[in-house]
């Protein structure tokens, strides 16, 4: 059995910089036509110069493959409308992190008072720059996303013309919120479709499955699966593939992030086939994102074949992927 995917898009990707960028960028560029690149570098991407030079480094690292890095700016509440206008053509969205909630988010926002954030959000709304949000409070780890839903609702209600993307949703509550507000959208990762907290910590601790937001309960995964498998029109694939060097994962104080970019399409094909939903995979991995963001990525056809694929244990001796050393039921036959 063979399927073709056209212009796969990864609408939430961490590419890092320097050596890690050189390792991971070609892996995404091999099978994806484009990706929305997250700005949580050290220091975060907050200026036009940083955006432009980071995009150049990504393009160089992708080694001539047809791949469009769609850039994001790290949200700051003191951006002026003039500044936003000057970077509008360099970005597809702005990413908002609560301070300290995840990897390299220390410079994020301390609170969600509209008096603080309203000026920037109003300007984004007028300029039609979507807002991507890491939606977690500082509460108990399993409740952080659920507690954040009222904040999403407040933002959606107060800025009805602002597209708000709930990034990497992990709960039934977030899936339900999607249908309450026209301007709320969501990305779903590969790993949150496969795992629950049990897979992370139910037996021996699995550091390579540890991420933020943490994987939740079976009923949450079921709600995510339903939304993805039917390719809910407001849901897009965003891997949140987040590479960390092996020694940062297999350590006390394990870094958060699951590295999935090179195996994402194979594992999605496996999942959609098992649930008899292969016909919806194209919408989930591309068409929905093209429509929501209004992008037109470079043509790329990826042919996947149902035949065993042994996932590498590690890439470049540095970064360990999800399903390392395991066999997936689908492999990439060609991409181009
Ligand atoms: O697990 C995560 N890792 N979640 C995030 O939100 C950020 C990411 C990273 O950058 O490592
Ligand atoms: Zn992320």
């Amino acid at each position: 059995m063979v399927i073709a995917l056209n212009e796969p898009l990864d609408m939430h990707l961490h590419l890092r910089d320097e050596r890690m960028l050189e390792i991971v960028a070609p892996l995404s560029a091999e099978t994806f036509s484009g990706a929305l690149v997250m700005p949580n570098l050290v220091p975060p991407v907050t200026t036009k110069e940083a955006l432009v030079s980071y995009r150049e480094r990504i393009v160089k690292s992708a080694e001539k493959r047809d791949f469009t890095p769609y850039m994001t700016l790290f949200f700051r509440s003191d951006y002026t409308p003039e500044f936003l206008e000057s970077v509008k053509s360099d970005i597809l969205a702005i990413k908002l992190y609560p301070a300290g909630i995840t990897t390299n988010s220390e410079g994020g926002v301390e609170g969600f008072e509209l008096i603080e954030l309203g000026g920037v959000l109003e300007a984004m709304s007028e300029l039609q720059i979507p807002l991507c949000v890491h939606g977690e409070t500082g509460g108990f780890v399993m409740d952080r996303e659920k507690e954040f839903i009222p904040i999403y609702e407040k933002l959606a209600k107060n800025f009805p013309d602002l597209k708000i993307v709930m990034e990497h949703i992990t709960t039934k509550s977030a899936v339900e919120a999607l249908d309450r507000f026209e301007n709320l959208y969501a990305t779903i990762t590969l790993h949150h479709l496969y795992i629950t907290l049990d897979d992370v910590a139910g037996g021996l601790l699995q550091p390579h499955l540890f991420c933020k937001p943490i994987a939740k309960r079976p009923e949450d995964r079921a709600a995510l699966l339903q939304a993805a498998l039917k390719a809910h029109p407001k849901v897009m694939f965003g891997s949140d593939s987040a590479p960390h060097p092996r020694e940062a994962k297999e350590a006390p104080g394990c870094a958060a992030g699951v590295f999935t970019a090179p195996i994402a399409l194979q594992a999605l094909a496996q999942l959609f086939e098992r649930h008899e939903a292969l016909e919806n995979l194209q919408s989930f991995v591309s068409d929905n994102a093209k429509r929501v963001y209004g992008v037109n990525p470079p043509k790329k056809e990826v042919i996947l074949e149902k035949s065993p694929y042994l996932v590498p244990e590690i890439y470049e001796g540095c970064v360990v992927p999800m399903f390392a050393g395991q066999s997936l039921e689908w492999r990439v036959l060609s991409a181009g």
Side-chain angles (χ1 to χ4, degrees), residues 12 14 16 38 40 95 97 101-105 134 136 168 191-192 210-214 240-244 249 255-258:
H12 185 131
H14 297 273
R16 316 297 192 209
M38 293 297 133
N40 60 333
K95 175 74 184 286
Y97 292 91
I101 202 69
T102 189
T103 310
N104 304 338
S105 62
H134 183 119
E136 290 195 284
H168 43 53
H191 47 286
H192 292 117
F210 172 64
C211 64
K212 300 288 177 64
I214 193 96
D240 199 14
S241 178
H244 291 275
K249 294 291 288 174
V258 184

